[in-house]
Amino acid sequence: SQQGEEDPQALSIQEGENATMNCSYKTSINNLQWYRQNSGRGLVHLILIRSNEREKHSGRLRVTLDTSKKSSSLLITASRAADTASYFCATDRRRALTFGSGTRLQVQP
Amino acid sequence: DVKVTQSSRYLVKRTGEKVFLECVQDMDHENMFWYRQDPGLGLRLIYFSYDVKMKEKGDIPEGYSVSREKKERFSLILESASTNQTSMYLCASSLSWYRGRSYEQYFGPGTRLTVT
């Protein structure tokens, strides 16, 4: 079952613009994580936000979490062509994670 | 630098063959996972292991089995490969969960399996 669902499915922006991706989930969570996947490769962990946190930053990444709305957003500021990838949110489940289907981000140089 | 390695990047097998996909991690992680990834479906959990010789079914275990005889190695076995098992297979590892809270997962590069 897909706990997290990303929106939009695909996003195309120009270099230097900001990119925002959203994730909605259905049941209560302890943590929510964001991952990035370059084409044909494994996933790389970006950031983990706990249920008692509202916002977290890491470099050009900003993640917010609204547990009342069961949603999270990932903001990439001043995007670069190298940010072109698929982005996934993942939520806790018993001993494992459930991943959404991802947002494909294309950053045009 | 942390590392998860998978035995093959690309694999082509015939229908009915027994297929072994191997995953090795060097981080002394308790948890290891196998996912398959298909276009439009995201990552789906096949099996995971939280200790040596311990395993749990994920969302799509049918047609697969796993083996974890050593902490660093987790194998996925396709007992009799079928064309609908053509997919990208991803292995991951993580620290053991603490009080129901997850840790980040470290992924291998993936194995693209084609069954003809």
Side-chain angles (χ1 to χ4, degrees), chain B residues 11-51:
Chain B
L11 207 53
V12 180
K13 294 292 181 180
R14 293 190 182 276
T15 302
E17 278 192 86
K18 191 168 185 176
V19 181
F20 294 86
L21 301 182
E22 297 215 315
C23 176
V24 177
Q25 51 98 0
D26 66 359
M27 295 164 281
D28 203 36
H29 284 166
E30 294 83 5
N31 293 345
M32 295 188 76
F33 308 86
W34 275 107
Y35 298 90
R36 65 176 282 176
Q37 183 176 26
D38 301 287
L41 296 177
L43 275 75
R44 292 180 291 167
L45 182 66
I46 305 172
Y47 267 99
F48 66 97
S49 168
Y50 50 91
D51 202 348

Side-chain angles (χ1 to χ4, degrees), chain B residues 63-79:
Chain B
Y64 303 95
S65 62
V66 289
S67 171
R68 192 162 180 207
E69 297 295 319
K70 293 185 177 181
K71 192 175 185 180
E72 68 271 17
R73 190 178 297 269
F74 190 34
S75 300
L76 179 69
I77 303 149
L78 287 66
E79 297 290 342

